[in-house]
């Protein structure tokens, strides 16, 4: 049995613009989830507030200006390379800028309500995006 005290915490931000949600494809060089379509995501640092982590990840991974909604949409349990992880999902509304990809992603798309699922994004993420529709921008 593994170390039950170890638990990753991550945030995912679903950014809405003009009725569509941003999906990012993890680059093949990523050790966790290469090729996976996702929202903007990353781990919460020790002592960091989840909404602060969400803001940081949006800047680091996209360069976009957004307004993150204060209440998470949902959270769910997942595994990261076989280790337990809790993912907290926030919605955000696009306020300005165009996507500038970081080294973590190699492609992006602005998706409609069904495309996120069609791209193979995690079911929990696609469900969270649907629950946040219609966008509040």
């Amino acid at each position: 049995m593994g170390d039950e005290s170890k638990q990753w915490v991550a945030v995912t931000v679903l950014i809405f613009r003009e009725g569509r949600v941003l999906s990012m494809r993890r680059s093949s060089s990523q050790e966790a989830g290469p090729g996976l379509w996702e929202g903007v995501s990353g781990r919460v640092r020790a002592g960091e507030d989840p909404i602060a982590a969400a803001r940081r990840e949006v800047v680091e991974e996209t360069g976009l200006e957004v307004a993150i909604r204060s209440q998470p949409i949902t959270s769910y349990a997942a595994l990261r390379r076989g280790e337990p992880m809790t993912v907290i999902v926030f919605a955000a509304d696009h306020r300005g800028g165009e996507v500038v990809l970081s080294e973590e992603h190699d492609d992006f798309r602005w998706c409609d309500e069904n495309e996120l699922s069609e791209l193979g994004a995690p079911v929990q993420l696609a469900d969270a995006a649907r629950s946040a529709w219609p966008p509040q921008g």
Side-chain angles (χ1 to χ4, degrees):
M1 187 171 232
D3 180 2
E4 292 181 20
S5 65
K6 186 173 186 175
Q7 172 80 27
W8 295 105
V9 178
V11 292
T12 294
V13 184
L14 296 171
I15 301 171
F16 290 92
R17 181 179 84 173
E18 300 173 359
R20 299 176 82 76
V21 66
L22 179 63
S23 183
M24 314 273 291
R25 185 176 65 196
R26 292 181 63 82
S27 68
S28 60
S29 64
Q30 294 299 299
E31 59 185 42
L36 178 70
W37 286 92
E38 61 177 358
V40 175
S41 66
R43 287 179 276 174
V44 178
R45 295 175 178 161
E48 186 177 31
D49 185 87
I51 202 160
R55 287 186 190 105
R56 176 179 51 77
E57 290 293 343
V58 168
V59 171
E60 289 175 2
E61 294 185 9
T62 72
L64 294 174
E65 297 171 34
V66 302
I68 296 178
R69 301 178 201 169
S70 60
Q71 295 297 315
I73 303 169
T74 190
S75 61
Y76 60 88
L79 292 175
R80 182 182 191 279
R81 295 186 331 194
E83 296 180 341
M85 176 174 68
T86 298
V87 181
I88 304 167
V89 184
F90 291 93
D93 300 300
H94 179 264
R95 293 292 185 243
E98 296 300 324
V99 174
V100 177
L101 292 173
S102 73
E103 70 282 348
E104 294 182 39
H105 299 96
D106 60 14
D107 198 6
F108 74 93
R109 293 185 192 173
W110 291 98
C111 298
D112 68 22
E113 200 166 341
N114 297 314
E115 288 175 303
L116 201 54
S117 292
E118 292 166 5
L119 289 171
V123 172
Q124 302 96 321
L125 192 60
D127 289 347
R130 274 190 285 279
S131 74
W133 250 283
Q136 299 175 1

